[in-house]
Amino acid sequence: MSRSPASPSSTPAAPWLARSVSATWWYTAGSVLLFAVVTAFVWAVPTILYPPVFSRPVTSVVFGAGALLWLAGGTVLLLTYRRRAMSEVTDAAPAPSAAVLVWALVASGAGAVTMAVAAASPLLAVSTVAFALCMVPRMPGVRLRLTSAVTIVLVVVWVVEGTRDTAAAAAGVTLFHPFFSVLLPLATVLSLWWWDVVGELDRARGVESRLAAVQERLRLAGDLHDLQGHHLQVIALQLELADRMIERDPAAAAEQVRLARASVDDARRGTRELAGRFRGVPLPDELANAADLLRAAGLRVDLDVAAGAEAAPADVLGPVVRECTTNVLKHGGGRWARLALARAGTGWELRVSNDVASTPASGAGSGLPGMAERVRAAGGDLRHQVTGDVFELVASVPQAAGVPA
């Protein structure tokens, strides 16, 4: 048997988060905003301690208000950037309005100018305004050229502006704030470029999945055409023979009609098997998907699947697995679950157990009668019990079980 226990110390949702494009976006946006916050803080220290324009209280208020407005506008610009990227992938995500983009740019620009006035620094003004402009979606190639030009301008302004104040220089902070100002637009563009690459890869995976689905449909259509074409041709020949023989040899004509009916039954059976082969999912995959879903919901999951489980009747037990997974998520206690598929004589036995909620929801387990009826119709048996705080369901089916047509 293959056994894949979930360690209690593991984080069930971590693999899902690692694969999630949405999580990648929040990592990217968080890094951009963190770099912006650090830049504002590095500039705030010498500006507030050694105010170049106003008195210290006024400088603190002006610089703080400008920083908050600048960061708020930048946050809206980041969210707008993401919404625009999502709207290109799916119609369900509406594209951001131009008014939101304009107002976010105005707010971020006003905050940048306010900070620069309080700090009396053209370098800060150019850097923070460029930070906002870098988050405006542009045609490919434009952002790279613009960022290169802005970086050159920032270096020139840094050299021209020089040291702001000898007392501030003595504090040791003036070595950092020009450095952060020059790197801010470049770091923002590189982070968003990384997000664009991840988005393109995700779209490519989506296109690949749709293409695979189309190819599968084409293969199904080809197999169905070959199957039905063969049987229909045989039926047509048998009925034509029956039509020619009905007057001179009624018994032989009746035999051809009987053979035609048998060919119709063969065609129906072949079509049903073909549809089941394309529609069905192997039971080990069904159980693995259920375990992943439960782990993503935060449960500790113990999965135990016997060797050769691919031969188990997935059309009977697959719906039971899906219904049990739904019941565990809706009515379970939310701490652990066990899924096991094992041989039982010549058939198969599926066991699903989990902790029960302290106060079961009304109507919990309402899908059990439907599952039991489905299993019994296939010649199997389904039973369940609650022992203490443990709910257990056991479904037993023969090897040749199948849902009646």
Side-chain angles (χ1 to χ4, degrees):
M1 290 188 179
S2 62
R3 190 173 182 84
S4 58
S7 173
S9 61
S10 63
T11 303
W16 176 81
L17 288 176
R19 297 191 299 266
S20 173
V21 176
S22 179
T24 303
W25 160 255
W26 291 116
Y27 297 152
T28 304
S31 64
V32 170
L33 290 177
L34 179 62
F35 200 98
V37 169
V38 172
T39 302
F41 176 78
V42 169
W43 274 94
V45 172
T47 302
I48 294 175
L49 293 180
Y50 311 98
V53 180
F54 310 109
S55 63
R56 184 176 298 178
V58 175
T59 300
S60 302
V61 172
V62 172
F63 189 92
L68 290 177
L69 187 60
W70 175 62
L71 291 173
T75 302
V76 174
L77 286 172
L78 276 174
L79 296 176
T80 302
Y81 192 95
R82 181 174 186 265
R83 285 185 59 191
R84 179 181 180 275
M86 296 301 294
S87 66
E88 294 177 353
V89 179
T90 174
D91 296 334
S97 63
V100 173
L101 180 62
V102 171
W103 280 110
L105 276 174
V106 170
S108 187
V113 172
T114 302
M115 285 193 302
V117 170
S121 172
L123 177 63
L124 180 58
V126 176
S127 175
T128 50
V129 170
F131 167 77
L133 293 177
C134 285
M135 291 183 287
V136 177
R138 291 178 178 83
M139 297 296 292
V142 176
R143 184 185 293 128
L144 177 61
R145 292 193 292 269
L146 178 62
T147 305
S148 302
V150 167
T151 303
I152 295 174
V153 170
L154 285 171
V155 173
V156 172
V157 174
W158 182 4
V159 173
V160 172
E161 185 174 325
T163 304
R164 297 175 56 224
D165 189 271
T166 55
V173 294
T174 53
L175 297 177
F176 297 100
H177 64 268
F179 178 75
F180 275 92
S181 298
V182 171
L183 287 185
L184 179 60
L186 183 61
T188 302
V189 168
L190 289 178
S191 297
L192 293 179
W193 171 79
W194 163 251
W195 159 249
D196 290 339
V197 170
V198 173
E200 287 296 330
L201 290 175
D202 184 60
R203 283 190 285 272
R205 284 195 297 267
V207 171
E208 184 180 7
S209 299
R210 290 192 293 272
L211 180 59
V214 170
Q215 291 175 336
E216 195 73 4
R217 293 191 194 100
L218 290 175
R219 189 159 70 92
L220 173 60
D223 291 347
L224 186 61
H225 176 271
D226 294 341
L227 174 68
Q228 297 287 11
H230 167 73
H231 284 292
L232 289 175
Q233 185 177 11
V234 171
I235 293 169
L237 290 174
Q238 289 168 337
L239 292 177
E240 183 177 353
L241 284 174
D243 182 60
R244 293 180 178 180
M245 300 169 62
I246 193 169
E247 293 183 356
R248 65 174 185 270
D249 193 348
E255 177 64 17
Q256 292 299 324
V257 172
R258 189 189 64 79
L259 293 175
R261 291 181 59 184
S263 298
V264 171
D265 292 337
D266 290 341
R268 290 175 55 194
R269 183 166 50 254
T271 303
R272 186 166 59 249
E273 292 175 355
L274 179 63
R277 195 163 63 245
F278 277 85
R279 183 178 61 245
V281 176
L283 203 55
D285 294 344
E286 193 83 60
L287 288 165
N289 292 337
D292 287 342
L293 179 61
L294 294 174
R295 287 177 182 136
L299 280 75
R300 299 190 308 273
V301 180
D302 188 5
L303 179 61
D304 191 355
V305 180
E310 294 81 4
D315 55 343
V316 178
L317 294 179
V320 176
V321 172
R322 292 190 291 270
E323 182 68 25
C324 287
T325 304
T326 302
N327 286 342
V328 170
L329 293 175
K330 290 176 60 177
H331 310 303
R335 295 192 303 273
W336 61 270
R338 296 190 187 96
L339 306 174
L341 179 65
R343 279 283 188 180
T346 58
W348 294 91
E349 182 179 81
L350 172 68
R351 287 182 178 269
V352 180
S353 57
N354 64 283
D355 59 324
V356 296
S358 56
T359 304
S362 60
S366 58
L368 293 176
M371 285 192 291
E373 181 179 353
R374 185 183 187 94
V375 172
R376 282 196 297 268
D381 177 65
L382 186 144
R383 57 193 184 277
H384 67 278
Q385 63 179 359
V386 178
T387 306
D389 62 346
V390 177
F391 174 87
E392 185 179 47
L393 180 142
V394 181
S396 302
V397 295
Q399 174 63 52
V403 179

